[in-house]
Amino acid sequence: MSNFLLHPRLQQDCFIVADLALSKILLMNDNQYPWFILVPRRPGITEIHQLQEADRHQLLTESCLLAESLTALYQPDKLNIAAIGNLVPQLHLHHVARYKTDKAWPAPIWGKFDSCAYSEQEAQTQITQLRDTLRYSLID
């Protein structure tokens, strides 16, 4: 994992939340949706099928853990999970809590509206809440 570098676009657009056994959790800097991203810390990987089998299982485990935590924390109408990668080729899984009342519903959020940045305090609140929800599974 020593050769892993987070893609510059993810560095620019996100806050780092925590590290799980395989993946880094990020918070997208867009306060319109609770939007977190899971990035496996494996260099040169662009697709899930490129991961070793054990890493694929670990990614699914971590995705489910994040999904369960977001569902408990935000109680969304729907949780969207997607690996798109058209702008950022590095493998990453979006986890977005959606509500029937959000401005993009029922359409996908990507490219729909300009993002609205969190204040530093708002971002830290989101990060702290998720860390507290995940606290028994995180490795520091």
Side-chain angles (χ1 to χ4, degrees):
M1 284 192 275
S2 60
N3 294 331
F4 172 80
L5 293 173
L6 189 62
H7 189 279
R9 179 83 184 249
L10 293 174
Q11 288 179 4
Q12 170 189 312
D13 293 350
C14 301
F15 297 95
I16 294 174
V17 176
D19 286 332
L20 298 173
L22 173 66
S23 305
K24 187 171 286 296
I25 301 174
L26 308 174
L27 168 64
M28 177 62 85
N29 191 10
D30 186 348
N31 68 14
Q32 298 171 97
Y33 321 94
W35 183 350
F36 293 84
I37 300 172
L38 204 57
V39 185
R41 292 187 313 276
R42 295 291 187 257
I45 300 294
T46 60
E47 306 293 342
I48 293 171
H49 72 269
Q50 295 171 328
L51 292 169
Q52 296 294 319
E53 184 175 359
D55 283 349
R56 286 195 303 264
H57 290 284
Q58 184 64 32
L59 180 59
L60 181 59
T61 296
E62 291 177 359
S63 179
C64 288
L65 174 65
L66 180 56
E68 290 165 357
S69 297
L70 295 178
T71 298
L73 189 58
Y74 298 105
Q75 300 176 343
D77 293 315
K78 177 71 173 96
L79 185 64
N80 293 163
I81 301 174
I84 299 173
N86 294 346
L87 294 177
V88 176
Q90 182 174 54
L91 177 60
H92 59 290
L93 298 180
H94 297 269
H95 292 68
V96 186
R98 299 293 308 276
Y99 301 93
K100 293 176 182 174
T101 57
D102 74 43
K103 68 193 264 183
W105 184 271
I109 60 170
W110 292 275
K112 193 80 172 165
F113 301 104
D114 290 337
S115 64
C116 296
Y118 283 104
S119 70
E120 191 63 35
Q121 177 65 38
E122 289 171 330
Q124 285 308 311
T125 297
Q126 296 298 314
I127 291 167
T128 299
Q129 287 176 340
L130 183 58
R131 283 180 181 165
D132 287 348
T133 304
L134 292 168
R135 71 181 169 271
Y136 298 112
S137 300
L138 295 178
I139 47 177
D140 296 326

